[in-house]
Amino acid sequence: MLNKIKGVKWKKKEGPSGANWGETRLDKLGPAMVSAQGARTMVFEFSVSISEGQGKIFEQEQFDDVLRAQFSPDTKIRKLRGVCAEDVGRLSGSAVYEVTLKDKKPVFAFVSTDAGGNSPNSRTSGFDFSVQNEARWKCSEPTPEPPKRTVPVRTAPVAAPSPQAVKAGNRLFGAWKVTHCEFYLNDQLAPIQNCRLNSGLDFRFTPEKFEFQIQGRDTEISTAPNYQDTQNWVDVMDSKGKMNRFVLIAPDKAYFATNKKDNKQTKFYLTRVSQLVE
């Protein structure tokens, strides 16, 4: 069956239980190395690796588009998990997908890129395909869940934010714009086309107020927000007692997730568009 794979020049074949590797060229990505692994007469895993300096390395935000580009339009691709929490904002990262070709059973794809070493052109990107969703592809650290809504708490009027509040929220201070979203059903990431931004969403965080604006509507303003800072996220409680968790994935990148309802949840990704001007 390996001989029938178009575009691969096999360099060495010793049967599925031995080393099977060859070379190919991917559209828009350039040269890549192909390897097949299995036992006896079957192939269980198939890998395609791209080396920096030879082919084109891709980044985390390109995983969906790059994987889709490798298949025909009638192929069904479903993301099973996005980038792991410990890899968000780093050069290294991975995601897992279910890929179903027309009239075929699904296979599972592990799409990854790494940061490489100290030597030049040491990064690699690639795809690993398996007949099952491999346990080793699981994240070692779960993605933080958004907090549940809390009962409004009556507090005394605050004339000015305390120094502690200013310090706690300073990583959020500024204006942010929602760029895209992901839709989850039963804790599984649904196809991206199921989640669309029908209007612009903007946030602005300052020590004195928290502003939320939906395109075409009046800006919602909450004075004297309470910021609770942690290593990975900032919780913001408005004057009505509603809590929102903004997970920081880079200095100018963040996301927040809606509360689950009927096993449905939406995750919104934000990019900072301006810093807070003192």
Side-chain angles (χ1 to χ4, degrees):
M1 294 299 293
L2 295 180
N3 292 330
K4 297 181 180 180
I5 300 177
K6 297 180 180 180
V8 176
K9 294 181 179 180
W10 295 103
K11 300 296 183 180
K12 186 177 181 181
K13 288 197 298 181
E14 299 177 357
S17 60
N20 298 266
W21 65 274
E23 297 176 346
T24 188
R25 189 174 186 86
L26 302 177
D27 185 29
K28 298 181 180 180
L29 296 177
M33 188 181 77
V34 177
S35 63
Q37 299 177 7
R40 295 178 63 83
T41 60
M42 298 182 183
V43 173
F44 294 150
E45 297 184 24
F46 201 87
S47 299
V48 183
S49 179
I50 303 167
S51 298
E52 187 178 20
Q54 298 178 359
K56 183 178 180 181
I57 301 299
F58 48 83
E59 308 298 343
Q60 295 177 14
E61 62 269 17
Q62 298 174 289
F63 285 170
D64 299 326
D65 294 335
V66 169
L67 181 63
R68 166 59 65 185
Q70 309 310 313
F71 296 93
S72 59
D74 58 356
T75 302
K76 296 180 180 179
I77 298 179
R78 182 167 68 97
K79 183 185 284 186
L80 301 182
R81 76 155 174 84
V83 177
C84 297
E86 62 267 27
D87 294 327
V88 171
R90 301 179 180 177
L91 288 178
S92 296
S94 62
V96 178
Y97 301 79
E98 181 186 73
V99 180
T100 307
L101 281 71
K102 185 178 181 181
D103 301 325
K104 299 290 184 180
K105 292 182 179 180
V107 295
F108 298 89
F110 178 83
V111 184
S112 62
T113 191
D114 67 52
N118 295 325
S119 59
N121 294 333
S122 59
R123 295 189 65 191
T124 59
S125 296
F127 314 91
D128 291 335
F129 298 95
S130 176
V131 294
Q132 62 183 359
N133 190 354
E134 302 289 341
R136 66 178 184 273
W137 294 348
K138 292 182 179 179
C139 297
S140 60
E141 180 181 333
T143 302
E145 286 287 339
K148 295 181 179 180
R149 292 188 178 185
T150 57
V151 178
V153 178
R154 292 183 178 273
T155 57
V158 179
S162 66
Q164 181 180 5
V166 174
K167 181 179 179 181
N170 60 4
R171 290 191 297 167
L172 278 183
F173 291 162
W176 298 71
K177 183 177 184 63
V178 175
T179 57
H180 63 286
C181 59
E182 293 179 341
F183 177 71
Y184 289 79
L185 180 61
N186 297 321
D187 294 323
Q188 294 292 326
L189 186 59
I192 291 180
Q193 57 265 28
N194 285 0
C195 180
R196 296 184 181 276
L197 292 174
N198 297 322
S199 59
L201 303 179
D202 299 280
F203 293 86
R204 181 173 174 81
F205 303 91
T206 71
E208 295 82 12
K209 59 186 178 180
F210 163 51
E211 301 179 30
F212 171 51
Q213 184 175 29
I214 301 178
Q215 185 177 2
R217 301 184 186 179
D218 293 336
T219 302
E220 296 183 16
I221 300 176
S222 179
T223 57
N226 181 21
Y227 296 96
Q228 295 293 329
D229 208 344
T230 71
Q231 182 178 358
N232 297 318
W233 60 79
V234 178
D235 288 339
V236 183
M237 181 180 290
D238 62 21
S239 57
K240 298 179 181 179
K242 179 182 177 181
M243 180 79 77
N244 289 282
R245 173 166 294 173
F246 295 85
V247 180
L248 281 302
I249 56 180
D252 293 323
K253 301 285 184 181
Y255 74 78
F256 76 96
T258 61
N259 290 302
K260 293 181 181 178
K261 184 178 181 181
D262 299 328
N263 291 322
K264 297 178 181 179
Q265 189 179 45
T266 304
K267 184 184 292 184
F268 296 91
Y269 288 84
L270 301 83
T271 297
R272 193 197 308 265
V273 295
S274 68
Q275 299 282 347
L276 175 65
V277 179
E278 300 293 346

